[in-house]
Amino acid sequence: METRILTCIGCPLGCALTAVPGSDGYEISGYTCKRGLEYAQKELTRPERTVTSTVRVTGGVAKVTSVRTATDVPKEAIWDVMKAINALEVAAPIAIGDVLCGNIAGTGVALTATKGVKAK
Ligand code: SF4
């Protein structure tokens, strides 16, 4: 293990976090609140991200809708999630919050619409 420098993404303050290897894992400093500590612990052990993208729409007034994963997915699964999103095509009408896929790329995480598309 080596010293890691991270930037907390928990709020706009963006605290600079330092993770120094210790006898029992990393010793983390630089956080202003416990969200920063939790972010660093997660980032160092099992990093995750929310994925946002677009999905093709048929029969709608727009050709695509914007989407996001309902929760974070493991960082190593992002490529598979993007491939699954690119292969997806949904029919209008679509409302904000509609679940377009209940288990995207086998992650167990739903993919939801963040933009509504009316039917033609
Ligand atoms: S540690 Fe707390 S205050 Fe600092 S950026 Fe993260 S969430 Fe914001």
Side-chain angles (χ1 to χ4, degrees):
M1 293 197 299
E2 59 188 28
T3 298
R4 300 270 309 271
I5 306 295
L6 304 167
T7 302
C8 180
I9 58 172
C11 82
L13 201 57
C15 293
L17 311 175
T18 303
V20 178
S23 56
D24 189 24
Y26 283 100
E27 291 174 14
I28 299 160
S29 61
Y31 53 91
T32 304
C33 69
K34 73 173 190 172
R35 284 167 55 199
L37 176 61
E38 291 166 355
Y39 167 76
Q41 289 169 333
K42 191 167 140 183
E43 189 67 11
L44 293 165
T45 55
R46 48 181 171 75
E48 297 180 332
R49 295 289 185 275
T50 298
V51 176
T52 60
S53 186
T54 56
V55 164
R56 284 191 303 276
V57 174
T58 57
V61 295
K63 292 184 177 178
V64 295
T65 182
S66 55
V67 295
R68 62 172 289 168
T69 52
T71 61
D72 290 346
V73 297
K75 203 171 171 183
E76 67 267 15
I78 290 175
W79 180 244
D80 289 338
V81 168
M82 286 305 300
K83 282 199 292 188
I85 288 172
N86 288 339
L88 200 58
E89 189 174 85
V90 294
I94 296 160
I96 294 173
D98 279 359
V99 174
L100 305 183
C101 176
N103 179 17
I104 192 74
T107 57
V109 174
L111 186 75
T112 59
T114 56
K115 176 186 168 194
V117 178
K118 293 178 181 173
K120 279 186 187 171

